């Protein structure tokens, strides 16, 4: 049994870790434990009430609540802030009962307010095989009047007492996403957040914590994230008592939700995990969970795509695209994606967004002739759209200028010459569903690249029927609703999430999108680092990577291919200009990739040497049965003289024999003696690993 219940105490046991909570003697729902699984249920510490106090620190300031609210004399950040109709802003939740759905591994704990008809349900679902806990919160009220919810986080995680707490997180910007930071926390708060309406290039809700000594393969690591594609916030706080708590969920900046009597609000789901073997195991657990249980289409083969954006930008038409499609098919590409520029009056970024029908000059007979040709060439057809946006110069905007996010009377700030449709509005959602449904029904489209190319400004919703600050959440719910409806009506279409590269990369969108576009930066040496950090958070099967012409004078085609082969391979260069030799080489790497992609996508990934830290880097993918693998090693630039360091493989079965670089040794021998390589600047190798 994975949920062990002993009166009002619960232990959530997973394969190798456990999480315990329970009612303290004074009746508070208290955190007890999160770490390695212990042998007996009564090994876990009992819930306790803090007893130390002084007049400036009452005991409650030390309490480890499972869901702290703004209440009494606790000065740490709470998860829930509410203003009741009479102006009271203390929320005093107390335990009512608990229900365990053992068949679903779900525990639900009901809490209610001491004075008001406010009910909160804390939900926990464990994913034993992956040592992951999914958490979310449901809230409803049965009072007579609406109440204002100004903060409602999905989770708080308490860590055991450690001498030092180190927080790992990512930051970045457009074309420079996913920079990893490891930062020792001092007293006070570290706040990570997005208030851009989307997840953002600038950070990601993912975090990890350790005692400052964990490495890729050693040490305890606690990690988590929240499945949300809108404004998010994470607060890591070390109190004056040296206790660490980390909270995350919907960003409460400018947020307010008017909870009506009888209405139920459910937070996005948070996920937390524990690894006792460093960052590698933390990422592997998340990868396994996401690809096995989470992605909409599960473990289907990822098709090698060609995307025309960097080759033709807006200058697309039926002829140029057919020419590219022929080139792509000859190389072995399986999916041809027509990017921006195909729809009504879209010749640059100043017009067209909103008018989702083929431009009459570029595609006089619609998309059908191109799609037919692509199919004849043996490929699937995919299409770029940016449904959340509108150009002021579009039929849609001329008809519905009030459909965009704006404040009345204020200028509407343009970014990339576009405004954001207010997807919080039902009529906008319904319009998009009908227009996109028509597009997908009338054309044989197998893949959609869903883009989103600006951040918000003037976040107003003048005709909102309730509190306009609900926009922040209703917008994201609207995006999910449109996406979900289209997926239900067109279940076989694969969606890609793109937002000017990696502006919307999170577990919220991965419920709908099997693949994401991590960055607009396709320069292979920069991409190596972006990918390395991306793969700490998400699996390779979600990570699209195109071979383009960026920095081609310096970086050989093979290197560019090898980098892209570490994820879902795509080609994005202007292949019409590639020489015969380059095309032959591309054909070769594409056929090699077809041999290894199932291992790369569904096997285990081992980072052998970091590209972020070293000029010579290496990564190994091995099938989960440890039969076959592939190792990629890269050298970017470093001044001579330099000897290529030995690369030590990992993940091999110790007693089995493997053939690598023409030699046969046992797995343990390979891991001990390593592989000697000789790499010059901007060179790379693909090394097959085969068990004998
Ligand atoms: C941003 C995307 O990241 C690019 O790949 C491309 O689709 C452009 N938008 C098109 O406008």
């Amino acid at each position: 049994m994975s949920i062990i219940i002993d009166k009002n105490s619960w232990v959530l046991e997973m394969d190798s870790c456990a999480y315990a909570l329970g009612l303290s003697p004074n009746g508070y729902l208290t955190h007890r434990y999160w770490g390695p699984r212990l042998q007996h249920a009564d090994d876990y510490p009992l819930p306790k009430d803090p007893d130390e106090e002084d007049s400036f620190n009452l005991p409650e300031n030390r309490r480890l609540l499972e869901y702290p609210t703004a209440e009494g004399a606790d000065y740490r950040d709470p998860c829930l802030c509410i203003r009741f109709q009479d102006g009271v802003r203390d929320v005093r939740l107390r335990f009512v009962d608990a229900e365990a759905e053992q068949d679903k591994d779900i525990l639900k704990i009901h809490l209610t307010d001491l004075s008001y008809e406010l009910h909160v349900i804390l939900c926990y679902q464990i994913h034993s095989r992956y040592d992951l806990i999914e958490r979310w919160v449901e809230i409803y009220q049965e009072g007579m009047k609406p109440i204002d919810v100004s903060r409602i986080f999905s989770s708080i995680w308490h860590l055991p007492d450690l001498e030092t707490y180190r927080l790992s997180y990512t930051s970045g910007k457009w074309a420079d996403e996913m920079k990893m930071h490891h930062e020792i926390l001092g007293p006070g708060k570290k706040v990570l957040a997005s208030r851009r309406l989307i997840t953002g290039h600038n950070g990601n809700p993912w975090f990890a914590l350790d005692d400052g000594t964990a490495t890729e393969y050693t040490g305890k690591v606690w990690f988590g994230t929240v499945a949300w594609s809108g404004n998010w916030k994470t607060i890591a706080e070390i109190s004056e008592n040296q206790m660490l708590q980390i909270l995350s969920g919907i960003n409460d900046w400018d947020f307010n939700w008017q909870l009506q009597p009888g209405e139920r609000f459910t937070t996005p789901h948070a996920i937390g995990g524990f690894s006792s073997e460093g960052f590698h195991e933390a990422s592997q657990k998340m990868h396994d969970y996401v690809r096995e249980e989470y992605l909409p289409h599960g473990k289907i083969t990822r098709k090698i795509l060609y995307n025309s954006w960097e080759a033709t930008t807006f200058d697309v038409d039926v002829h140029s695209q057919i020419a590219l499609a022929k080139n792509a098919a000859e190389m072995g590409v399986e999916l041809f994606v027509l990017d921006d520029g195909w729809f009504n009056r879209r010749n640059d970024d100043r017009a067209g967004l909103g008018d989702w029908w083929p431009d009459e000059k570029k595609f006089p007979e619609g998309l059908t002739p191109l799609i037919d040709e692509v199919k004849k060439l043996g490929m699937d057809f995919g299409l770029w759209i940016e449904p959340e946006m509108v150009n002021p110069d579009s039929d849609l905007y001329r008809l519905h200028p009030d459909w965009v996010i704006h404040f009345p009377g204020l200028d509407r700030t343009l970014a990339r010459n576009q405004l954001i449709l207010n997807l919080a509005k039902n009529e906008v959602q319904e319009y998009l569903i009908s227009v996109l449904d028509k597009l997908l029904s009338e054309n044989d489209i197998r893949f959609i690249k869903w883009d989103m190319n600006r951040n918000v400004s003037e976040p107003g919703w003048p005709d909102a029927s309730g509190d306009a600050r609900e926009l922040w959440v209703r917008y994201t719910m609207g995006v999910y609703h449109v996406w979900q409806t289209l997926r239900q009506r067109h279940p076989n279409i694969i969606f890609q999430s793109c937002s000017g590269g990696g502006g919307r990369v999170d577990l919220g969108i991965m419920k709908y999108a099997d693949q994401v576009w991590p960055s607009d930066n396709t320069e292979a040496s920069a991409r190596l680092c972006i990918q390395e950090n991306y793969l700490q958070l998400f699996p390779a099967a979600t990570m699209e990577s195109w071979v383009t012409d960026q920095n081609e004078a310096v970086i050989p085609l093979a290197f560019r291919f090898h980098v892209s082969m570490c994820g879902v391979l795509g080609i994005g260069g202007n292949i019409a200009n590639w020489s015969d030799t380059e095309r032959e080489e591309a054909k070769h790497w594409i056929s090699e990739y077809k041999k290894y992609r199932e291992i790369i996508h569904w096997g285990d990934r081992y980072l052998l040497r970091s590209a972020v830290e070293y000029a010579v880097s290496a990564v190994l993918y091995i099938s989960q049965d440890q039969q076959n693998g592939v190792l990629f090693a890269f050298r970017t630039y470093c001044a001579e003289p330099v000897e290529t360091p030995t690369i030590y493989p990992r993940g091999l079965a110790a007693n089995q024999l493997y053939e690598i670089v023409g030699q046969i040794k046992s797995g343990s021998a390979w891991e001990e003696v390593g592989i000697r390589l000789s790499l010059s600047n901007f060179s790379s190798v693909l090394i097959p690993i085969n068990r004998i």
Side-chain angles (χ1 to χ4, degrees):
M1 194 161 53
S2 2
I3 301 176
I4 304 171
I5 306 170
D6 180 9
K7 297 195 202 88
N8 289 329
S9 259
W10 303 270
V11 180
L12 312 179
E13 280 201 327
M14 291 148 271
D15 275 9
S16 50
C17 96
Y19 184 99
L21 64 161
L23 281 197
S24 70
N26 292 345
Y28 290 91
L29 184 66
T30 305
H31 177 73
R32 296 165 54 197
Y33 179 87
W34 186 24
R37 180 173 166 165
L38 306 178
Q39 228 173 347
H40 308 289
D42 50 15
D43 288 340
Y44 299 99
L46 290 173
K48 59 173 198 242
D49 293 300
D51 44 16
E52 297 153 49
E53 76 168 274
D54 57 60
S55 49
F56 289 96
N57 271 309
L58 299 184
E60 58 219 68
N61 204 35
R62 292 190 169 88
R63 208 179 277 293
L64 299 186
L65 289 175
E66 273 297 302
Y67 200 65
T69 58
E71 177 190 1
D74 183 353
Y75 304 105
R76 295 162 299 175
D77 255 63
C79 283
L80 183 66
C81 299
I82 283 179
R83 184 181 180 280
F84 295 101
Q85 272 294 316
D86 57 5
V88 168
R89 301 191 310 280
D90 261 19
V91 183
R92 299 180 304 157
L93 296 180
R94 298 296 180 266
F95 177 76
V96 179
D97 58 21
E99 45 175 325
E101 298 170 28
Q102 295 283 8
D103 53 330
K104 295 192 194 137
D105 286 334
I106 291 180
L107 173 68
K108 289 189 175 173
I109 299 190
H110 296 251
L111 308 171
T112 199
D113 188 88
L114 286 178
S115 316
Y116 300 88
E117 289 291 321
L118 172 72
H119 309 284
V120 171
I121 310 171
L122 306 185
C123 308
Y124 302 80
Q125 179 169 30
I126 51 177
H127 302 286
S128 295
R129 277 178 57 207
Y130 318 100
D131 288 323
L132 294 177
I133 308 161
E134 189 168 343
R135 290 177 68 170
W136 66 99
V137 176
E138 295 171 12
I139 179 174
Y140 63 98
Q141 62 124 339
E142 292 170 322
M144 303 299 286
K145 294 184 175 156
I147 59 174
D148 286 320
V149 181
S150 57
R151 171 185 287 187
I152 178 160
F153 284 158
S154 302
S155 64
I156 178 169
W157 306 98
H158 299 281
L159 254 66
D161 280 348
L162 304 175
E163 283 291 315
T164 303
Y165 293 100
R166 182 174 63 168
L167 177 70
S168 301
Y169 62 96
T170 63
S171 75
K173 57 181 186 294
W174 173 76
D176 192 16
E177 297 88 341
M178 292 278 173
K179 298 205 170 305
M180 184 67 76
H181 303 269
H182 303 286
E183 195 173 305
I184 302 288
L185 294 174
K189 291 171 202 170
K190 171 86 187 177
V191 179
L192 305 166
S194 163
R195 38 172 285 202
R196 293 167 183 261
L197 190 66
I198 52 171
T199 335
H201 302 79
N202 312 68
N204 192 280
W206 176 90
F207 66 85
L209 287 153
D210 73 296
D211 68 358
T213 64
T215 67
E216 185 68 9
Y217 296 102
T218 61
K220 294 179 182 168
V221 177
W222 291 260
F223 58 96
T225 190
V226 58
W228 186 239
S229 313
N231 286 3
W232 57 271
K233 189 175 196 176
T234 301
I235 307 172
E237 177 171 4
I238 299 191
S239 67
E240 60 274 20
N241 312 313
Q242 290 308 311
M243 293 149 84
L244 179 122
Q245 58 173 34
I246 187 159
L247 300 86
S248 58
I250 293 169
N251 194 344
D252 57 344
W253 179 83
D254 194 35
F255 166 74
N256 193 64
W257 190 277
Q258 266 192 359
L259 191 70
Q260 304 296 327
E263 186 193 0
R264 189 175 280 244
F265 182 91
T266 303
T267 66
H269 290 206
I271 293 189
F274 171 76
S275 147
S276 51
E277 288 174 24
F279 290 94
H280 165 79
E281 194 188 66
S283 71
Q284 196 61 55
K285 286 177 176 182
M286 202 64 149
H287 291 186
D288 285 345
Y289 172 62
V290 170
R291 58 200 184 173
E292 275 160 39
E293 313 233 343
Y294 204 84
L295 297 174
H297 289 90
K299 286 184 159 183
I300 55 159
T301 297
R302 276 23 187 186
K303 296 207 163 160
I304 300 164
L305 65 80
Y306 178 77
N307 179 293
S308 61
W309 173 246
E310 290 196 22
T312 45
T313 63
F314 300 100
D315 194 12
V316 298
D317 63 29
V318 63
H319 307 294
S320 69
Q321 297 303 300
I322 288 178
L324 284 169
K326 283 184 178 153
N327 286 325
E330 275 164 24
M331 290 176 186
V333 166
E334 300 157 315
L335 165 67
F336 182 84
V337 183
L338 170 60
D339 208 280
D340 201 347
W342 61 269
F343 46 96
N344 190 38
R345 297 182 48 247
R346 183 70 165 173
N347 298 316
D348 51 39
D349 64 17
R350 286 190 291 263
L353 288 172
D355 299 346
W356 298 110
W357 55 89
D359 182 77
E360 278 179 8
K361 289 202 190 94
K362 298 174 176 186
F363 296 94
E365 293 165 64
L367 295 174
T368 309
L370 173 61
I371 296 179
D372 286 349
E373 192 60 33
V374 165
K375 282 164 58 184
K376 245 190 263 159
L377 290 164
M379 298 183 290
D380 285 349
F381 179 77
L383 191 65
W384 178 98
I385 52 175
E386 194 180 359
E388 296 155 76
M389 295 294 155
V390 68
N391 286 116
D393 185 2
S394 66
D395 289 2
L396 182 65
Y397 188 73
R398 281 182 279 273
L399 205 59
H400 295 291
D402 54 327
W403 274 11
V404 298
I405 294 178
H406 70 286
F407 283 128
L410 296 196
D411 285 348
R412 303 171 182 199
T413 304
L414 293 176
R416 211 194 189 209
N417 300 305
Q418 58 199 53
L419 295 165
I420 305 178
L421 288 173
N422 186 353
L423 267 88
K425 287 162 86 85
N426 289 340
E427 58 200 311
V428 174
Q429 294 167 21
E430 292 319 312
Y431 169 77
L432 286 179
I433 288 169
S434 74
V435 88
L436 297 175
D437 184 35
K438 181 167 182 294
L439 183 70
L440 297 177
S441 304
E442 288 176 356
N443 297 286
D444 190 359
I445 294 170
R446 301 293 172 90
F447 180 94
I448 282 289
K449 173 176 177 181
W450 181 303
D451 207 346
M452 200 289 187
N453 278 304
R454 65 160 291 180
N455 290 150
V456 72
S457 60
E458 299 90 34
W461 178 4
D463 54 355
S465 56
D467 191 319
R469 289 170 296 177
E470 291 177 12
L471 169 91
W472 297 109
V473 171
R474 291 197 186 274
Y475 180 91
T476 303
M477 288 175 166
V479 171
Y480 290 160
H481 171 66
V482 173
W483 215 316
Q484 172 72 6
T485 312
L486 293 173
R487 282 213 42 239
Q488 271 161 0
R489 295 191 193 168
H490 305 276
N492 295 328
I493 295 181
I494 302 291
F495 282 88
Q496 181 215 104
S497 169
C498 171
S499 174
R504 199 186 258 158
V505 182
D506 59 79
L507 285 187
I509 213 65
M510 285 185 192
K511 275 255 176 258
Y512 309 96
D514 292 86
Q515 296 177 196
V516 303
W517 181 230
S519 180
D520 273 350
N521 189 340
T522 60
E523 199 273 355
S525 63
R527 191 90 182 181
L528 255 185
C529 300
I530 293 172
Q531 294 189 172
E532 182 174 310
N533 292 330
Y534 177 99
L535 291 172
Q536 173 69 49
L537 279 59
F538 304 105
T542 63
M543 183 182 78
E544 259 184 50
S545 189
W546 311 339
V547 177
T548 69
D549 304 330
Q550 302 298 327
N551 209 3
E552 60 174 335
V554 173
I555 305 186
L557 191 57
F559 189 111
R560 286 177 271 147
F561 261 98
H562 291 159
V563 170
S564 295
M565 289 164 85
C566 291
V568 178
L569 175 66
I571 319 288
N574 193 351
I575 48 179
N577 292 345
W578 286 14
S579 66
D580 287 348
T581 324
E582 285 171 319
R583 286 174 202 205
E584 275 311 304
E585 189 176 345
K587 209 173 181 173
H588 165 72
W589 290 123
I590 287 174
S591 87
E592 284 295 288
Y593 181 70
K594 287 177 182 168
K595 288 189 209 154
Y596 297 113
R597 68 176 147 189
E598 305 299 325
I599 296 173
I600 293 165
H601 298 157
W602 317 122
D604 292 344
R605 165 189 169 267
Y606 289 86
L607 179 63
L608 306 180
R609 222 179 130 81
S610 162
V612 177
E613 288 175 49
Y614 304 107
V616 175
S617 64
V619 60
L620 179 153
Y621 297 84
I622 185 137
S623 58
Q624 292 198 322
D625 62 6
Q626 297 175 300
Q627 280 289 345
N628 300 306
V630 57
L631 186 157
F632 296 96
F634 303 92
R635 172 167 156 184
T636 51
Y637 178 78
C638 53
E640 303 290 353
V642 70
E643 220 177 287
T644 312
T646 304
I647 302 295
Y648 295 95
R650 282 181 172 268
L652 308 179
N655 300 325
Q656 301 297 322
L657 293 175
Y658 290 90
E659 181 172 354
I660 309 178
V661 288
Q663 293 174 40
I664 296 173
K665 292 190 213 301
S666 69
S668 56
W670 278 119
E671 294 195 5
E672 209 53 52
V673 300
I675 303 169
R676 295 291 306 173
L677 298 170
S678 175
L679 293 171
S680 53
N681 281 334
F682 291 109
S683 68
S684 57
V685 280
L686 177 161
I687 300 174
I689 297 174
N690 293 312
R691 191 153 121 185
I692 304 295

